[in-house]
Amino acid sequence: MGEVEISLSVNGHARTDAVEPRLTLADYLRERCQLTGTHLGCEHGVCGACTVLVDGAAVRSCLVLAVQADGAEVTTIEGIAAPDGTLSPVQAAFRECHGLQCGFCTPGFVVSATALLRDNPDPTDDELRVGLAGNLCRCTGYQGILAAVRRAAEAG
Amino acid sequence: MKPSRFDYHRPTSPAEAAEVLAELGDTARVLAGGQSLLPMLNLRLAYFDHLVDVGRIEELRRIEQREGALWLGAAAVDAAVERSELVRDAVPLLAEASPLVGHFQIRNRGTVGGSIAHADPAAEYPAVALALDAEMVALSVRGERTIPAASFFTGHWSTALEPDELLVGVSFPRWAGRCGFAVREMARRHGDFAVAGAAVGVQLDDASRVQRAAVALFGMGATPRRAGPAEAALVGAGTGELDLAEVGRLAVDGMDDVPADLHGSSGYRRRVGAVMVERALGAAIEEASRG
Ligand SMILES: Cc1cc2nc3c(=O)[nH]c(=O)nc-3n(C[C@H](O)[C@H](O)[C@H](O)COP(=O)(O)OP(=O)(O)OC[C@H]3O[C@@H](n4cnc5c(N)ncnc54)[C@H](O)[C@@H]3O)c2cc1C
Ligand code: FES
Ligand code: FES
């Protein structure tokens, strides 16, 4: 079969594209929308670097086909800050608390933490650790990341 | 692009899905949440000419009470099960299991039916289905049939479903009276598949004797397994006189071909399994005693 037409909203912008069914949402965002903030680490659901919001729910964009996102509202890391560039509370806290070093895992952490705090604005330490367990960081160390999300919760 | 080429189908009803599956035969695969299928496609461990996406069929996403049982449509996502008051009230063992399935991002897309059809031997929902004698309802162009959990899981990632059959939902019986339920598992990291685990339910009579017991283990063989001898030892016993460590040992005693891998030898798994049974029973009995 050839390509399939999909219509969706990406960071508030409506788009229509013809895609091959085997194109993942991650590759669609990176290659078709040029939104390369969504990172790909493992491409099989383990690292969380590719996390985006689909209709508000945090999901692995490497495990969603672009055709499955037809009709959805997608928010990537590029859509988290205010339109004028003001950092979101989670983003600002990552900067303040040394929540990133190389930054590879950061988009996934920021998107996951944004969803986490929206659903649970006042998490316990344990809930934070469990909530962030689906994202891997290979260099900063998790203490800075946890401190950042804790700070964002307090600020929020 | 990582997966190999396939055609994409999005039927709008279970009946239409069954027709598409009948027409395409074993060149097609059902796509639900994609949380097990997409990793396999991305790694090219599997390839199919056709994917039949049932994730949006509203009828398959229902969570409702049906004739004294809880009905979970096959495409109900884990996150919806986790949040459902009805599930927590009707089948607490499901509510116990849900938070242990992967991470919240996985549960936002993964489905109960997908987990049960995928039948990973270390998965939580298949063990819950087996423990509670749930019934799987499958649909094909030949009609609908009901498959009891005891004969559904046939081997490693294999089930009694035919290639052209769609799992439409699972019916979980409700337990009444003084009941308690628990799942305990040991995983290397939170969200990983468990090395071994146990899903249990107990019902007590007015004199605090065990009236009914269900013990299922996961990660301990090619399929989830019921621990018959442990259940038999529980039934009729007073909660005060039970040696749960002994019941745990009984649960794994007769189990041969327990798998060995990087995460643990068979012997290690057996010991972990016994302890998980002991802990789950402890929690379930405590809960039932309060009821
Ligand atoms: C990082 C990670 C961690 C995970 N950890 C766990 C864990 O700890 N415990 C656990 O249990 N699972 C875990 N999973 C797997 C997850 O639970 C999957 O969601 C689940 O196994 C499959 O559900 P799905 O809806 O995503 O199915 P899919 O991936 O869409 O399908 C899986 C299989 O089931 C078949 N299928 C799906 N629906 C139907 C249907 N209605 N009728 C017939 N066949 C059907 C498909 O054809 C396919 O073969 C994990 C996954 C990832 C990526
Ligand atoms: S790239 Fe998607 S989870 Fe790792
Ligand atoms: S900041 Fe480098 S991997 Fe996390």
Side-chain angles (χ1 to χ4, degrees):
Chain A
M1 179 160 71
E3 301 192 321
V4 177
E5 193 173 274
I6 59 169
S7 296
L8 68 170
S9 138
V10 179
N11 298 331
H13 302 290
R15 290 186 61 113
T16 297
D17 286 287
V19 298
E20 263 195 75
R22 62 176 168 151
L23 186 72
T24 62
L25 179 59
D27 283 338
Y28 170 75
L29 293 168
R30 290 178 54 81
E31 290 165 18
R32 300 293 284 277
C33 308
Q34 266 82 52
L35 293 170
T36 52
T38 297
H39 290 170
L40 283 166
C42 66
E43 300 187 62
H44 62 272
V46 175
C47 75
C50 66
T51 308
V52 303
L53 304 179
V54 173
D55 292 329
V59 304
R60 314 289 214 212
S61 62
C62 70
L63 298 188
V64 179
L65 298 169
V67 285
Q68 289 178 289
D70 183 23
E73 281 184 24
V74 177
T75 305
T76 68
I77 186 66
E78 288 90 346
I80 297 286
D84 69 357
T86 306
L87 298 183
S88 76
V90 173
Q91 288 173 313
F94 266 69
R95 185 166 69 181
E96 286 157 21
C97 301
H98 194 78
L100 68 153
Q101 182 164 281
C102 79
F104 189 84
C105 67
T106 314
F109 268 104
V110 168
V111 172
S112 292
T114 301
L116 203 67
L117 296 183
R118 179 202 58 207
D119 294 345
N120 182 2
D122 189 20
T124 63
D125 215 54
D126 207 42
E127 285 168 342
L128 266 188
R129 283 171 188 275
V130 168
L132 295 175
N135 290 76
L136 301 182
C137 173
R138 300 282 78 174
C139 70
T140 304
Y142 294 104
Q143 301 309 326
I145 294 171
L146 279 165
V149 183
R150 218 174 283 125
R151 168 89 57 102
E154 285 157 11
Chain B
M1 268 175 286
K2 303 215 94 181
S4 59
R5 277 204 178 80
F6 54 80
D7 288 354
Y8 175 78
H9 307 262
R10 194 191 289 154
T12 56
S13 70
E16 189 191 336
E19 277 163 31
V20 175
L21 288 172
E23 193 183 309
L24 299 172
D26 57 12
T27 62
R29 197 71 158 194
V30 173
L31 170 67
Q35 303 301 290
S36 292
L37 195 51
L38 279 237
M40 293 195 296
L41 295 178
N42 281 350
L43 296 168
R44 297 215 179 184
L45 292 172
Y47 41 88
F48 303 98
D49 296 334
H50 303 272
L51 290 194
V52 182
D53 184 357
V54 300
R56 294 191 188 201
I57 302 178
E58 212 40 58
E59 210 181 316
L60 295 180
R61 298 172 66 103
R62 292 200 187 120
I63 298 177
E64 62 197 16
Q65 183 69 35
R66 280 192 193 174
E67 296 155 19
L70 175 77
W71 172 261
L72 292 187
V77 295
D78 304 347
V81 173
E82 190 177 355
R83 280 194 295 262
S84 163
E85 290 290 330
L86 174 62
V87 170
R88 183 159 291 282
D89 176 58
V91 185
L93 193 55
L94 277 170
E96 290 272 320
S98 293
L100 300 172
V101 179
H103 310 286
F104 81 95
Q105 299 92 336
I106 305 291
R107 298 195 294 275
N108 278 336
R109 288 205 66 90
T111 68
V112 177
S115 174
I116 286 176
H118 185 63
D120 190 290
E124 289 84 2
Y125 289 132
V128 169
L130 185 69
L132 298 181
D133 292 312
E135 291 181 326
M136 326 300 177
V137 177
L139 179 75
S140 71
V141 289
R142 297 176 299 283
E144 207 171 78
R145 69 178 177 124
T146 299
I147 309 163
S151 51
F152 186 82
F153 302 103
T154 53
H156 226 102
W157 296 316
S158 332
T159 70
L161 288 175
E162 299 292 337
D164 68 343
E165 272 183 321
L166 177 72
L167 181 64
V168 287
V170 184
S171 175
F172 292 88
R174 280 181 87 131
W175 286 24
R178 299 178 71 199
C179 298
F181 301 90
V183 183
R184 289 293 182 273
E185 65 177 41
M186 205 287 276
R188 292 276 170 201
R189 295 170 305 189
H190 184 93
D192 284 4
F193 275 106
V195 171
V200 310
V202 292
Q203 186 182 351
L204 305 181
D205 64 16
D206 291 336
S208 285
R209 275 186 310 260
V210 179
Q211 209 174 354
R212 172 146 70 146
V215 177
L217 285 134
F218 49 101
M220 297 285 287
T223 64
R225 303 172 106 164
R226 279 289 279 272
E231 292 174 359
L234 286 163
V235 173
T239 53
E241 69 203 37
L242 275 169
D243 176 352
L244 295 181
E246 181 54 30
V247 179
R249 277 190 296 276
L250 260 180
V252 301
D253 245 4
M255 288 192 181
D256 46 12
D257 52 78
V258 172
D261 61 22
L262 195 88
H263 300 297
S265 63
S266 320
Y268 177 70
R269 269 204 167 73
R270 226 190 277 269
R271 283 164 59 191
V272 173
V275 173
M276 294 303 119
V277 168
E278 176 190 348
R279 290 186 187 167
L281 283 172
I285 290 171
E286 198 191 309
E287 189 198 328
S289 305
R290 285 196 303 264

